[in-house]
Amino acid sequence: MLQRPDEILNEASQTVGDPLERDALGGEAELTGDRAIPRRLVVVSNRLGNIRDLSQAGGLAVGIGDALAERGGLWLGASAEYQDYAASDEPLIRLERVGKIETAALTLPYEEYSLYYNGYANSTLWPLFHYRLDLVNHRAEFLHAYRQINARFAKALAGLLSGNDDLVWVHDYHLIPLAAQLRRLGVRNRIGFFLHIPFPPPDLFVATPDHEELIDDLLQYDVVGFQTETDVGNFRRSVQAANSITFDINGSAEMNGRTLLSRCFPIGIDVDSIARMANEAAEDVQIDSMRRQILGLKQIIGVDRLDYSKGLPGRMQAFARLLERHPEHERAATYLQIASPTREEVSAYADIRAQLEATAGAVNGRYADLAWTPIRYIHRAVSRSRLAGLLRASQVGLVTPLRDGMNLVAKEYIAAQDEADPGVLVLSRFAGAAEELAESLIVNPYAVDEVADAIAKALAMPLEERIARHSALLKRITRNDAAEWRRSFLATLAGEN
Ligand code: ADP
Ligand code: G6P
């Protein structure tokens, strides 16, 4: 059912506008004097998760979905369907409610969406923010479409807000200008922004001609959150360089009578749900694992979107170097790489796929024999429960991005392990997760031999050391889990921290 804005507003006011209804939706109460004011959570992200089956979604969608499932609220994102906007500039929204969560899917014009998503978001901002200036593509029409789509999101959202009390939480690099566009429409609500990807150092950031506009956009939020201290530091230095605004020791900056708070909120995972799924692994995963046990084979696993930021060809080369430098692992270890298709309309992604397939073919061509395939490469998404079982059945988790905001797979690998006989995580120092996960084997992914030696160390690590490292890591990811991430961000946004 596609709705015009007048219908949407009618439905929205019936379903989420009424204060009693909002209480029933579980909106958290903030105490002001003696009166409890319900504050509805309104989340905005480019990709809208499937609220009918949150267990199947990836990192961002799970984090957001759980926040909404816990306290109720509205989630606005781009629809999977496109609309020809020639006739109208008014937002078209499909509303759906499941339990306490309502989703609003915004239908957007295909060409403009593609210039925004494949163009500015994933050919300009993604490489820039992952320190890959060599891959940045700047085109005036990308930026134009980016601003147009953000304006469409703002218009749609302004019509869905039920008052100044709604807490608005905007996610990721697709929507940086959203607060500025909302302010222009007169929205005065508290608006927070969380960047799931890294923020580059000022010297790289200024390489984009749009850097001043992007900073001005970010200054329109009340709270700007990052994954790591490194990212917060990079952001603050860029703000200082562009606007001479300084931050106090708490990360606050005053400007034009407003306060902007910038902080790091490292994203976590739902540890119990991964552990539960890992425990109930599918039968074929268990059989495969038993077969390897009988043959005395160990499994090294990598799980990623097929993105150039993940360092996949280098990882395969490191595995080949393991076989050269530590030949005892020939026929004794296999490397399973699950790499799901992603952003295939962007040329840099087609290039990385070709490069990875060539590398896997070359390594297998050189080492494989009838009884042993060194690299098993699967180019598709796997269900979360299956993934958890595969992580548990692997003696080494290999997570070696060249740059990553956090990397949830690193945390999922830890959560999936058998506490009595855990595997070892080999982790890139350039993943945001490395700030928290010091007991893993931290490596430089550009130093292929160093990664190869770390894999050898992981494969040979005695049980006692594996347990000691794993229990420290498990404690930390349990303390800083997904619930803590959203609690601390939302408390800060609501002004309670
Ligand atoms: P990114 O956000 O860059 O994709 P993360 O590691 O932070 O990287 O999050 C990826 C999420 O998607 C994780 O929850 C991971 O389990 C999931 N995921 C990654 N690759 C696959 C795949 N091939 N099949 C299913 N889920 C995947
Ligand atoms: C990263 C980004 C998310 C994005 C996800 C999947 O995690 O931070 O914003 O949703 O990758 O990418 P996609 O382009 O498929 O949404």
Side-chain angles (χ1 to χ4, degrees):
M1 170 192 55
L2 283 179
Q3 294 168 297
R4 295 267 159 204
D6 45 345
E7 297 173 68
I8 298 158
L9 288 178
N10 284 340
E11 179 159 339
S13 60
Q14 281 164 13
T15 54
V16 292
D18 172 65
L20 289 174
E21 186 75 11
R22 271 189 281 140
D23 261 340
L25 282 175
E28 261 179 22
E30 185 198 0
L31 286 175
T32 307
D34 288 330
R35 219 159 55 88
I37 304 171
R39 305 196 81 170
R40 185 171 65 139
L41 174 60
V42 177
V43 167
V44 194
S45 63
N46 173 64
R47 194 171 280 281
L48 198 52
N50 175 5
I51 50 168
R52 295 191 180 279
D53 190 4
L54 284 170
S55 68
Q56 294 304 310
L60 180 149
V62 170
I64 297 173
D66 286 352
L68 285 164
E70 200 171 81
R71 57 184 278 162
L74 174 73
W75 187 354
L76 171 67
S79 167
E81 293 163 12
Y82 299 101
Q83 175 71 26
D84 178 1
Y85 263 80
S88 161
D89 254 2
E90 289 304 314
L92 278 171
I93 302 173
R94 184 195 297 266
L95 290 171
E96 191 185 357
R97 175 189 288 273
V98 175
K100 291 193 288 186
I101 313 180
E102 188 165 33
T103 54
L106 178 61
T107 310
L108 294 157
Y110 178 76
E111 271 192 26
E112 193 179 84
Y113 182 82
S114 175
L115 290 167
Y116 143 92
Y117 173 79
N118 293 315
Y120 201 73
N122 287 317
S123 298
T124 309
L125 291 181
W126 180 273
L128 175 73
F129 281 36
H130 286 85
Y131 299 41
R132 290 297 300 270
L133 291 186
D134 57 318
L135 297 176
V136 172
N137 189 354
H138 271 292
R139 281 172 39 189
E141 63 266 39
F142 288 174
L143 179 62
H144 180 70
Y146 183 66
R147 299 210 162 268
Q148 287 290 107
I149 292 282
N150 270 270
R152 292 185 193 276
F153 264 95
K155 199 166 177 184
L157 184 63
L160 291 166
L161 289 175
S162 57
N164 289 342
D165 278 341
D166 284 353
L167 281 179
V168 180
W169 190 4
V170 180
H171 290 262
D172 237 356
Y173 58 104
H174 314 84
L175 298 171
I176 290 173
L178 191 60
Q181 306 262 18
L182 286 167
R183 300 296 183 212
R184 250 169 247 146
L185 296 175
V187 171
R188 294 285 160 262
N189 296 52
R190 300 270 298 165
I191 311 177
F193 177 80
F194 184 78
L195 184 69
H196 290 253
I197 66 175
F199 195 92
D203 279 355
L204 295 185
F205 187 56
V206 294
T208 171
D210 322 317
H211 63 100
E212 283 175 355
E213 279 171 70
L214 290 168
I215 289 291
D216 286 348
D217 285 338
L218 286 166
L219 295 181
Q220 292 300 316
Y221 288 92
D222 296 294
V223 176
V224 180
F226 299 90
Q227 298 277 25
T228 66
E229 292 297 348
T230 304
D231 300 319
V232 189
N234 288 342
F235 167 72
R236 289 183 192 159
R237 285 188 292 128
S238 284
V239 172
Q240 276 156 15
N243 299 45
S244 312
I245 291 170
T246 50
F247 290 86
D248 68 16
I249 195 157
N250 299 314
S252 294
E254 302 294 328
M255 72 205 86
N256 312 324
R258 286 180 47 243
T259 305
L260 167 78
L261 201 63
S262 62
R263 269 199 206 150
C264 123
F265 302 87
I267 194 168
I269 60 163
D270 183 343
V271 174
D272 289 345
S273 96
I274 298 280
R276 210 174 27 251
M277 287 189 282
N279 237 333
E280 298 159 3
E283 203 177 321
D284 58 340
V285 173
Q286 287 185 28
I287 292 170
D288 188 49
S289 165
M290 270 154 52
R291 187 186 63 87
R292 266 182 288 104
Q293 258 174 31
I294 293 163
L295 297 174
L297 271 176
K298 289 190 171 168
Q299 181 161 277
I300 300 157
I301 192 166
V303 178
D304 311 74
R305 282 181 306 104
L306 212 176
D307 195 293
Y308 50 78
S309 64
K310 304 292 182 183
L312 293 170
R315 208 183 291 178
M316 286 190 178
Q317 274 149 12
F319 179 70
R321 289 294 289 160
L322 167 82
L323 302 177
E324 276 162 32
R325 291 164 71 85
H326 306 273
E328 70 274 19
H329 295 299
E330 258 193 62
R331 289 179 202 81
T334 60
Y335 166 25
L336 171 63
Q337 177 63 54
I338 301 172
S340 49
T342 182
R343 306 176 196 166
E344 291 185 304
E345 287 174 51
V346 178
S347 62
Y349 288 81
D351 295 347
I352 191 73
R353 179 177 173 188
Q355 199 188 341
L356 188 63
E357 287 173 1
T359 312
V363 175
N364 278 342
R366 173 150 182 213
Y367 291 99
D369 61 24
L370 278 177
W372 176 58
T373 308
I375 298 180
R376 290 196 292 166
Y377 162 63
I378 297 176
H379 181 52
R380 62 171 172 268
V382 172
S383 75
R384 288 185 65 70
S385 55
R386 207 173 171 70
L387 210 56
L390 288 167
L391 292 173
R392 189 185 183 95
S394 304
Q395 287 66 43
V396 179
L398 198 48
V399 180
T400 56
L402 304 177
R403 189 64 58 180
D404 215 329
M406 173 56 63
N407 197 294
L408 293 179
V409 173
K411 295 184 173 182
E412 290 166 357
Y413 180 75
I414 297 164
Q417 296 309 299
D418 173 359
E419 286 182 62
D421 185 14
V424 179
L425 177 64
V426 175
L427 179 62
S428 162
R429 59 185 293 177
F430 302 122
E435 268 189 18
E436 282 172 274
L437 306 181
E439 292 82 2
S440 55
L441 297 183
I442 303 284
V443 294
N444 173 2
Y446 293 97
V448 171
D449 285 354
E450 183 186 322
V451 179
D453 292 350
I455 300 171
K457 181 173 175 184
L459 287 168
M461 193 177 283
L463 179 64
E464 205 180 324
E465 182 178 352
R466 281 191 277 126
I467 290 179
R469 286 177 185 267
H470 177 259
S471 80
L473 291 168
L474 185 62
K475 233 180 250 152
R476 199 151 323 110
I477 63 163
T478 305
R479 195 172 54 228
N480 302 336
D481 67 355
E484 174 54 22
W485 170 69
R486 45 184 192 262
R487 190 209 58 75
S488 62
F489 189 95
L490 290 173
T492 305
L493 182 57
E496 294 157 10
N497 265 0

